[in-house]
Amino acid sequence: MLTEPIVPAAPMAQSNPPFMSGVPELLLLRLLDQQEMYGYELVRSIRQITGEAISLGEGVIYPALHTLERNGALKSRRKAVAGRTRVYYSLTAKGRTRLARLAKEWRRIQTGIEAALEAPAHAQT
Amino acid sequence: MLTEPIVPAAPMAQSNPPFMSGVPELLLLRLLDQQEMYGYELVRSIRQITGEAISLGEGVIYPALHTLERNGALKSRRKAVAGRTRVYYSLTAKGRTRLARLAKEWRRIQTGIEAALEAPAHAQT
DNA sequence: AGACTTACTTTGCAGTTCTAGGTATGTATC
DNA sequence: GATACATACCTAGAACTGCAAAGTAAGTCT
């Protein structure tokens, strides 16, 4: 049963977090370039590898994995472990190309922002 | 005259550039924190200060300025220069707070990504 | 039996950047 | 004076994407 949402849930919040676009994709490709992993594992790994700076929920990871696989950047295989079935993902050649391009793009932006933030000129010490 | 678009214009393109969310806002606040500026000027300044790494068109800048002013982060005043009218923007206290928060957020993400990209662990030399 | 963790999935919202087009005025060129 | 270019501002609409929330289900532990 249970046909109604009971409570619409309060919306609000500060909505769209800045600086996050493209980040999930970059991190997934980066991690999967090192070794085969499954979704749930990736969620924890991202938290860890970024030093708790970035935390992506399952609602972000799984859809992203599906999209990347659909695009041919990832390939997957099912594997039964401890009576449970996991879906392991790994990079394809296309995925490696994409990772390289994305990482380069990131560095470009990052360099640009850094230049702007350091911005001498004004002096405010 | 000229009442029709003549050609619908081909869409396509590679769509949404990654890593750009929040960036226009951050750069605008950063630049306007140093000195009063007008839209057209900001377009060029951003290109310059980021070392050509980031280039934001007028279609990005003006709406962003309007939104920031509406949110109370910026204040504006009209000024006639060389027979032309310019709209100069500058930071409000609220804008300064926002800049601080955004910059901090940027550094957090940036650090996280960097950690992930450098990621030793695997070794592939 | 109950509670918790693992593991995967889906829906819908929300907010943003970007391209492309359009207006208008001053200045330089022919 | 006509043409072209740079300055200066504005808007609409599309496209994308991350995120929270909720749900399913099966193991494990107490």
Side-chain angles (χ1 to χ4, degrees):
Chain A
M1 291 308 139
L2 175 57
T3 46
E4 290 184 273
I6 301 178
V7 170
M12 241 301 91
Q14 78 232 25
S15 68
N16 257 21
F19 312 127
M20 273 296 128
S21 71
V23 168
E25 187 180 343
L26 175 63
L27 292 177
L28 287 177
L29 291 174
R30 170 63 181 161
L31 288 179
L32 294 174
D33 188 39
Q34 304 189 139
Q35 60 182 301
E36 193 180 53
M37 283 174 131
Y38 58 99
Y40 204 73
E41 187 183 7
L42 284 160
V43 171
R44 284 172 302 182
S45 291
I46 286 176
R47 239 179 287 244
Q48 201 191 38
I49 205 178
T50 63
E52 317 292 312
I54 300 174
S55 179
L56 302 175
E58 304 165 49
V60 174
I61 295 305
Y62 287 110
L65 288 172
H66 299 158
T67 301
L68 284 168
E69 184 173 25
R70 207 182 315 124
N71 293 348
L74 298 181
K75 60 180 187 285
S76 69
R77 67 186 180 112
R78 306 189 111 64
K79 208 173 158 186
V81 179
R84 213 176 237 111
T85 300
R86 294 175 181 164
V87 185
Y88 281 84
Y89 292 88
S90 53
L91 280 205
T92 61
K94 203 168 172 181
R96 248 166 265 124
T97 304
R98 190 161 179 75
L99 169 57
R101 194 173 52 222
L102 264 186
K104 191 172 166 187
E105 177 71 1
W106 164 260
R107 279 180 220 113
R108 216 197 62 219
I109 309 285
Q110 192 271 327
T111 303
I113 306 268
E114 193 167 305
L117 288 185
E118 285 175 356
H122 207 39
Q124 52 203 317
T125 316
Chain B
M1 291 307 140
L2 176 59
T3 47
E4 288 183 274
I6 301 179
V7 171
M12 238 304 89
Q14 77 230 26
S15 70
N16 258 21
F19 311 127
M20 273 298 128
S21 68
V23 168
E25 186 179 344
L26 175 62
L27 292 177
L28 287 177
L29 291 174
R30 171 60 181 163
L31 288 180
L32 293 174
D33 188 39
Q34 304 189 136
Q35 58 180 305
E36 194 180 52
M37 282 174 131
Y38 58 97
Y40 204 72
E41 187 183 8
L42 284 160
V43 170
R44 284 172 302 184
S45 291
I46 287 176
R47 239 180 288 247
Q48 201 192 38
I49 206 179
T50 63
E52 317 291 311
I54 300 174
S55 178
L56 301 175
E58 299 160 59
V60 174
I61 295 305
Y62 287 110
L65 288 172
H66 298 159
T67 302
L68 284 168
E69 184 173 25
R70 206 184 316 126
N71 293 349
L74 298 181
K75 59 178 185 289
S76 69
R77 65 184 182 115
R78 304 187 114 63
K79 207 176 161 186
V81 180
R84 215 176 234 109
T85 299
R86 293 174 181 164
V87 186
Y88 281 85
Y89 292 88
S90 55
L91 281 204
T92 61
K94 203 167 173 183
R96 248 165 264 125
T97 304
R98 191 160 179 73
L99 170 57
R101 193 173 54 221
L102 264 186
K104 191 173 168 187
E105 178 70 2
W106 164 260
R107 280 180 219 114
R108 214 198 64 218
I109 310 285
Q110 193 272 328
T111 302
I113 306 268
E114 192 165 308
L117 288 186
E118 284 174 357
H122 207 37
Q124 49 203 321
T125 316

